[in-house]
Amino acid sequence: MKNLDRICFILQARVGSSRLPGKAHLPFHAEYSTVAYLLKRLTSYPGDIGQVVFATTVLDEDDALEAVANQIGVPVVRGPVLDVMGRMVQAAGEHGWDTLVRVTGDDQLVSCEYAERAIRHHLENSLDFTRVEGLPVGMGCEVIDVRTLRRIHQGVGNRAQTELLTWFLDSEWICRTGAIFADPAHAHSKFRVTLDYQADYDLMREIARRCHETQDEFYISTDRIVETLLEINPTWREQAQLWTATRAQVRTGLVYEYQAP
């Protein structure tokens, strides 16, 4: 498998949020804020997921997030405010990464076990884009070839919408895509554990609280998270208002210019 030094597990977050204001700094577990908890969790994983890096914007308001990452010992890259894809391209160019594993600052309970499996599948099959399907929303990740990301970024019409990165990449006519699928015990895609609303925040904190009560290790396994989620069985999971943008609302058309050989 490709040298993991050339693979970056990139966590994206910024302070600005309209649905849950200030969510990046909300207390999550023990002394850790939401972003600090996720960074600590990623760096506590005992397997191989590449170099963990924190990416945020150049805005002054995100200086505090950089300080959080520095405190945990995670390198920081800073780039455009709205152009999330551009931030990733810039970071990869500066550090020479070949492959990015993307997770957002809303996904405190992301599965590193599945991330490791996705990386392996992506590299063994020489793919451009690999997704994880079937897990509760917020536990998956995306593996992306940097050259492909750079090519697509050049053709994006509205770069302010590149936060919805998946919808620019998951087409076979754009790149070689692939997927790994959740095991039956973990296949609960109608649940969400991603931090957009107060209900998400309350649920995710309760999952973390219950899990940490019964173990000393900081990293909570996918098995334990899903077991706890099913024990709680939040009744609001089917509420339509908790599922945000639809694909029809986002302009994912790409503009390419012909260049003579």
Side-chain angles (χ1 to χ4, degrees):
M1 196 164 76
K2 191 180 293 187
N3 190 336
L4 285 173
D5 291 340
R6 305 295 295 275
I7 297 174
C8 171
F9 199 110
I10 188 166
L11 164 61
Q12 298 255 20
R14 63 188 184 99
V15 168
S17 170
S18 58
R19 291 189 291 269
L20 186 59
K23 63 182 177 181
H25 292 300
L26 289 175
F28 193 79
H29 173 72
E31 73 271 25
Y32 296 100
S33 65
T34 55
V35 167
Y37 180 87
L38 179 50
L39 289 169
K40 176 67 174 176
R41 189 160 174 272
L42 295 177
T43 54
S44 299
Y45 179 62
D48 295 320
I49 55 173
Q51 180 182 11
V52 176
V53 172
F54 178 65
T56 191
T57 80
V58 294
L59 294 176
D60 291 344
E61 66 185 21
D62 290 324
D63 290 350
L65 290 178
E66 180 175 10
V68 167
N70 289 337
Q71 202 168 32
I72 295 175
V74 172
V76 178
V77 294
R78 302 185 70 164
V81 178
L82 296 180
D83 184 4
V84 173
M85 194 185 297
R87 207 184 304 160
M88 296 171 69
V89 168
Q90 174 187 321
E94 290 176 359
H95 295 273
W97 296 315
D98 295 331
T99 306
L100 299 178
V101 184
R102 184 221 185 193
V103 65
T104 76
D106 298 337
D107 299 340
Q108 278 63 38
L109 303 178
V110 64
S111 170
C112 290
E113 295 97 322
Y114 277 92
E116 192 170 3
R117 285 162 61 172
I119 292 168
R120 186 178 303 111
H121 181 82
H122 181 87
L123 298 178
E124 288 176 351
N125 292 279
S126 300
L127 298 172
D128 297 317
F129 174 70
T130 302
R131 62 195 182 278
V132 178
E133 292 193 354
L135 291 175
V137 176
M139 292 188 69
C141 67
E142 299 159 332
V143 186
I144 307 164
D145 177 76
V146 169
R147 290 173 299 180
T148 301
L149 187 69
R150 187 177 294 116
R151 172 176 57 84
I152 290 174
H153 182 250
Q154 291 171 348
V156 170
N158 182 1
R159 291 182 176 177
Q161 291 188 330
T162 62
E163 180 181 6
L164 298 161
L165 192 67
T166 304
W167 293 346
F168 292 91
L169 290 163
D170 63 353
S171 171
E172 289 289 349
W173 68 267
I174 294 175
C175 56
R176 294 164 296 176
T177 67
I180 64 166
F181 299 89
D183 297 338
H186 304 145
H188 297 282
S189 59
K190 290 187 178 180
F191 288 96
R192 51 177 286 132
V193 283
T194 186
L195 191 59
D196 278 323
Y197 300 101
Q198 185 67 40
D200 301 322
Y201 178 59
D202 295 339
L203 171 64
M204 292 163 70
R205 288 187 79 193
E206 178 63 13
I207 291 172
R209 184 191 69 78
R210 293 190 188 194
C211 291
H212 284 292
E213 277 184 348
T214 60
Q215 68 176 57
D216 295 326
E217 299 83 6
F218 196 89
Y219 182 80
I220 305 171
S221 71
T222 301
D223 281 338
R224 189 72 186 97
I225 290 169
V226 174
E227 287 170 5
T228 306
L229 177 61
L230 295 176
E231 287 171 7
I232 297 171
N233 191 24
T235 57
W236 48 261
R237 68 186 181 278
E238 301 291 353
Q239 295 180 19
Q241 67 268 27
L242 294 177
W243 304 82
T244 53
T246 64
R247 186 167 193 143
Q249 295 172 299
V250 181
R251 179 188 169 197
T252 56
L254 303 177
V255 180
Y256 291 103
E257 294 182 0
Y258 173 74
Q259 293 182 349

